[in-house]
Structure formats: structure tokens, C-alpha cells
Amino acid sequence: ARHGAYNDLIISIVAQVIQNRARFPQLGAGWVLRELSLADEPRVVTFITKHYTAFTREGLRYAIEKMDKPLQQKLLKYAPRREDNLSR
């Protein structure tokens, strides 16, 4: 992940795993994203906001654990816009 060679593969796997709402897949996905954020934080933030509704609170907390406090707070309070509200 540090050199970026596997980031695409890592993100695609996490995108599948995060759909499972069980505790341990969520924690595993959060752990992987936490470590990936050390090398590519903007990409992880984008992933989190795109897949926000798939995260449990615990999985999200693991993913943002090593980010700076203001960014952690922003992501914890993030509220994705609903597309169906935009068309009205």
C-alpha cells in the first residue's frame, strides 16, 4: 500500500467486504482502511464517504482511527445526500 501498487485491489476487496454488516468483516475492513489511510488518506476518505451507509459505527471508527481529530469528527458526522431528494 505504501507504494500504491496494490491500492486498487485493496479498495475493491474492501468494497465487497464492507457490504457484510457482521462485526468481524466490518472490523477487518476498518483495519485495512486505517492502514491504507497512512499511505493514501484522500483515497480512503473518498471511499468512506462513497460507502458511508455500508459501515457500522465500529467499522468506521477503526477506519478513521489514525486520521487527525478534525477529520475524524467530520467523517463521524458525515451525512450522505440522498439522490431522491435532489430530483424533487
Side-chain angles (χ1 to χ4, degrees):
R2 183 175 300 150
H3 303 290
Y6 298 102
N7 291 3
D8 290 335
L9 179 61
I10 291 167
I11 289 291
S12 68
I13 292 169
V14 172
Q16 293 173 14
V17 172
I18 203 71
Q19 300 306 315
N20 186 337
R21 302 285 292 179
R23 181 175 187 211
F24 292 113
Q26 286 281 323
L27 297 183
W31 177 83
V32 169
L33 289 171
R34 178 186 70 209
E35 297 304 315
L36 184 59
S37 74
L38 297 174
D40 194 355
E41 185 176 274
R43 188 168 193 176
V44 172
V45 170
T46 300
F47 179 88
I48 290 171
T49 56
K50 183 178 178 184
H51 296 91
Y52 190 84
T53 58
F55 281 93
T56 61
R57 195 70 165 176
E58 191 174 26
L60 179 60
R61 285 193 174 276
Y62 266 61
I64 65 174
E65 185 177 341
K66 292 188 179 179
M67 296 178 182
D68 61 50
K69 294 293 181 196
L71 182 55
Q72 286 180 6
Q73 291 303 312
K74 180 181 175 185
L75 290 171
L76 285 172
K77 294 177 182 175
Y78 180 76
R81 293 189 325 194
R82 295 180 54 197
E83 275 67 35
D84 59 337
N85 286 343
L86 297 176
S87 62
R88 292 182 187 171

